[in-house]
Structures are given as C-alpha cells and as structure tokens.
Amino acid sequence: MTRPGVRRQGLPRRRWRWLRIAIPFTVVGVLLVGTAVAYQLTHPDPTRPGFLSPTNHGPDGGSDLAAALRDDGIAVHSADGTVDAIRAALTGPTTLFVPAPTLVHPDYLQALGRMPAGTRVLLVDPPARLLRGEPLPVERRTRRWAARVDDPDHDGRPCALPEVADTGPAAAVRQRYAAPPGIDPDRFDLCFDAGLARLDWGQAELVVVGASDPFRNDRFDEHRNARFAAQLLGARAQVVWLDLARPDTPPEPGEPVQQPSIHLGEDDPGAGPQVSAQPTGRPQGPVASEVRPSQDTLLDAFPPWFWALLAQLAVAALVLVLWRARRFGPPVSEALPVTVPVAETMLGRGQLYRRSRERAPTTGILRTAALARLVPMLDLPDQPQPADVVAAVADRTGASAEQIDALLYGPPPTTDGDLLHLARRLAALPAEVAGPANRIEPANGPERTPPDGPERTPSDGPERIPSDGPVAPAPRSPSAIEGEPR
C-alpha cells in the first residue's frame, strides 16, 4: 500500500487514463480494418462490374475460363441481358452460365426454368432470396468463411455428374445445399460435400455451385479448378455467358412482366425455336404491382463481412468489459482492524517454520539479519564479497576463518538443536565484533541491575506482569522459539 500524500511516479493521471482507453480501441480498430481488407482481397463482390466477365483479365474476371473453353472447341457467346441470353440459348444444346445470379431479377427466373430439353443452367452461389419458394428448388445449408477444397464425392457416394466425377479436388465448397421438402431425391444430386447441386428443372437441368473460386482468374490454376470449371461448362456444344454489369431492370408498375415465352414454330417447322418478349395468351408472370414482397430476413440485408465485423466488435467489447472489471483502482491506506505486537508476529512465524521443518529458509533469514548488522560495523560496502566479510570478522573476533565461514556461509543445519545453536552464535556475533571497547554506554550511565533481581536471561522464559501495573515484555531471542509449545 502507498502512504497517504505520496504521489505515484510515472505518467500524469489524465494521460494514463487516455492511454488505457485509446490502446484497446486502437487494437480493435486495426484488427477490424485488417479483417475487412483481407476479406475484400480474397472475396470479390459479385455485384461489381466485370465480375466473372469473359472479357475481364483481372483477378475476379473469367477470361482464363473463356479462353480454355475456346481452346476445347466450345463456342462462347456473351450476352449483357437476360432476354438476350435466353434467345441465344435456344439455338441448340447450350450451357447458360449465370456467374452473378444476384443481378438477375427474380421475375426472369421462371423463364429460365422453362428452357427446352438439353439446356443446362449453371448458377454460381445464388443469394438466399432466390432460393426461397418457387424460383429455385434448392435449399441453403451451412456457409463457410472461405471456399474449401474437396473431392467430388459426397457422403461416401461418387458424384452423379460424369463431367466432374473424375476432375479431382476443387475449391467448390463454400455454400452447402440440400434438397428442399417435396423434391424427389432421385432428381437431386450432390457433389463436392454438398457444394454442388444438380436437379431437373422442368425440361432443363439446373446446376448450382456454391463458390466462385474455380471460375475466377486468380484461382483458376489452383488445384483442379481449371479442369472442374472447363468440364462443367463444356458439357454442351456452346456456352451462353450472361455478363450483367448491373442489376436487371424490373418491369414497369401496372404492366405484365415481360417474361420470354418459348415457341417451337408450329407454323413454320424450319424456322426453329423463337423467343418472344411479350406474354402470349394470359400473362405468364405476375403483374408487377402484384409481385409478392421479398421474404429476405435481416441476415440477408447485409453482406457476410458485416456480420463478421459485428461479431468481432462484440468479442472486443466483451474483452474490454472483462479488462475493466479486473481493475481494482489505485492502492489506498487503511487502518488495521487489530494491532499485533511484533513479538507475537515473530513467534508465530517461527512456529510456522518449525512446523514445516524449513530449516534452510530459517537459516538464510538469520544469516541475512546478522550480516545486515555486521557490514556497517566492519566498514564494508553494501554488497561485500563473502571472503571479505569472513576475513574482517575473523580479524575482529580472533576466531579462525573456517569457523566464521561455516557460521555465515556454511550449509544449513539438519536438526532443530543445531539450528538453535546456530541462532545463538549469530545473535552473539555482533557483540563479539564490536568488542568491549566499542560498546556504547546508555545516556544515563552504566547499566544497573533492576531492584527486582538479577537480569533475566532468555532461558528464563517470558516475563510475567506484576500486579501493580503492566510492564513491557522483554525482547525474545531466537532461542525462545525452541521452548514455545506447538
């Protein structure tokens, strides 16, 4: 405890308090900024223009995949609108590649489900709002912070897609999928630890991949991502690449949703399939004013990195609360509830040492106390060498250096009797060093024998209090410890 009125040394109080508040928040801020930067570097935003675009040569582009498909003899057609992509996909067996489903308006998904047989619709990590209800019959399960590399098998069963069954490990596991209730399990296949789902969607085939890593330029050459992406998209003669730079424009309010309707050209069989952007007969889609409200929850309203940062803020706040809770404040002086005499404290401590048979620590305490009294008497420095102390004490007392060295620096006693003998010799050693000529007489003259009798010795036991008034007890020597009861 500090004494009252003594100011603690160091930084000023206000500056120290400011540092205690600023340092934790600075550390938390650096952690949050580092996490956000790392997330942005490893997870590009699908809504940014150029994401998985066949003409984008950047890290988040898909130019490497498009070049690999062309090298394999696959025709790649790029479309900047959903209606144009559907028109291009009706010319024959086609893979309709949708790398950013979050930009596709939900009203156009029903048209994708009405594609003719032989069409494969490939969606890359569609958002949760598109997987609820009728548009896409796929259910989302757990989601990882980053994509994981896994084999094509799922639950010990080989992958049912022959195009990717032998591709090897690929980074396709970030979002896991499952079959929703009411879907025939025979029409629903899972691969890559549920990171890839395939099902029959009307007459077409729907494939959902839960990670964009195998298709991006920065991850295309890692593991078997290139083989996985090229074989998955190259299963048809051509690939129609839906390259949306911005979200699809929703239908005008009050007008029927202009969903593309497919006609097989009954009047002119040689004309081939045709696409109309206007509804035929009754409207194939809902009226824009009657479009059902979005069923997105609060979790879908913010990106995943926002919730990750929010969780880290909560952990940092909890750590800050725990850190502040353990602060007991500055030391203060308090009055002792009970005053314990020094003699009783010394006696109790001696009995504890005796009960635990700690002779070595007791010997060290006795020798340290004796040296603290001898060094000033011998005019030695504060921390003298043992040889200097032994030589000075032997010169003053006339004893041999071996005896003084054994007394002050020798091994500790092994019995209580030897310890008592050592304590008596250490107690008498300062008087022997001082000598009769160096003793200081009391100010009131030579010491006299008290009228009650001769001077008491330590072996006589504790002094008793007479009946005519209290008398201070005589100081106890180390020899008194031996005679005290346990």
Side-chain angles (χ1 to χ4, degrees), residues 56-386:
N56 182 10
H57 297 275
D60 59 345
S63 60
D64 292 348
L65 174 59
L69 291 174
R70 292 189 180 99
D71 293 341
D72 294 340
I74 307 299
V76 178
H77 302 281
S78 178
D80 57 359
T82 306
V83 175
D84 296 336
I86 294 177
R87 287 197 182 105
L90 293 175
T91 58
T94 306
T95 297
L96 180 56
F97 183 43
V98 185
T102 186
L103 300 178
V104 178
H105 196 272
D107 293 334
Y108 292 116
L109 291 178
Q110 295 182 4
L112 295 180
R114 299 173 60 240
M115 299 296 292
T119 304
R120 169 179 287 181
V121 180
L122 177 58
L123 305 180
V124 178
D125 194 12
R129 62 182 177 83
L130 298 182
L131 298 182
R132 292 194 183 96
E134 300 177 0
L136 295 179
V138 181
E139 184 176 341
R140 287 164 57 106
R141 289 297 174 88
T142 58
R143 186 175 182 86
R144 293 175 51 85
W145 174 263
R148 181 171 62 86
V149 179
D150 209 327
D151 294 325
D153 301 342
H154 173 65
D155 286 343
R157 297 189 300 269
C159 181
L161 271 72
E163 299 87 353
V164 296
D166 58 347
T167 57
V173 186
R174 187 184 179 195
Q175 176 65 56
R176 293 184 175 91
Y177 301 101
I183 297 296
D184 187 4
D186 296 336
R187 300 173 51 226
F188 198 96
D189 300 319
L190 294 174
C191 302
F192 290 92
D193 194 21
L196 184 148
R198 191 215 69 85
L199 71 152
D200 296 331
W201 195 25
Q203 296 182 359
E205 179 188 30
L206 176 65
V207 178
V208 180
V209 181
S212 63
D213 297 52
F215 310 99
R216 298 200 315 258
N217 292 338
D218 57 345
R219 303 291 302 276
F220 186 70
D221 294 330
E222 296 180 2
H223 311 290
R224 298 296 181 88
N225 291 342
R227 186 178 180 184
F228 167 81
Q231 293 189 14
L232 187 62
L233 271 73
R236 304 294 188 271
Q238 68 172 350
V239 174
V240 176
W241 200 304
L242 180 56
D243 186 15
L244 295 177
R246 61 186 59 87
D248 272 343
T249 303
E252 294 294 334
E255 296 182 0
V257 177
Q258 296 182 352
Q259 290 186 347
S261 59
I262 303 169
H263 303 280
L264 299 179
E266 293 84 351
D267 299 336
D268 186 4
Q274 300 178 1
V275 177
S276 174
Q278 299 294 334
T280 59
R282 63 181 180 85
Q284 299 296 325
V287 177
S289 60
E290 300 175 357
V291 175
R292 62 181 179 275
S294 175
Q295 298 179 356
D296 295 347
T297 62
L298 183 62
L299 295 177
D300 301 323
F302 298 93
W305 62 264
F306 172 80
W307 298 111
L309 294 183
L310 189 63
Q312 291 187 357
L313 280 176
V315 173
L318 179 61
V319 172
L320 180 62
V321 169
L322 295 177
W323 174 70
R324 295 292 296 176
R326 292 187 58 83
R327 181 176 177 270
F328 295 101
V332 295
S333 59
E334 298 180 357
L336 294 177
V338 178
T339 302
V340 181
V342 178
E344 294 184 9
T345 304
M346 182 187 67
L347 180 60
R349 185 175 181 181
Q351 290 178 349
L352 291 176
Y353 277 117
R354 181 183 182 186
R355 181 177 301 175
S356 59
R357 301 182 183 275
E358 296 290 343
R359 300 185 182 92
T362 305
T363 303
I365 293 174
L366 295 175
R367 286 173 173 172
T368 301
L371 290 174
R373 299 175 60 187
L374 291 173
V375 169
M377 299 171 60
L378 299 174
D379 295 332
L380 295 176
D382 294 339
Q383 296 181 352
Q385 297 295 327

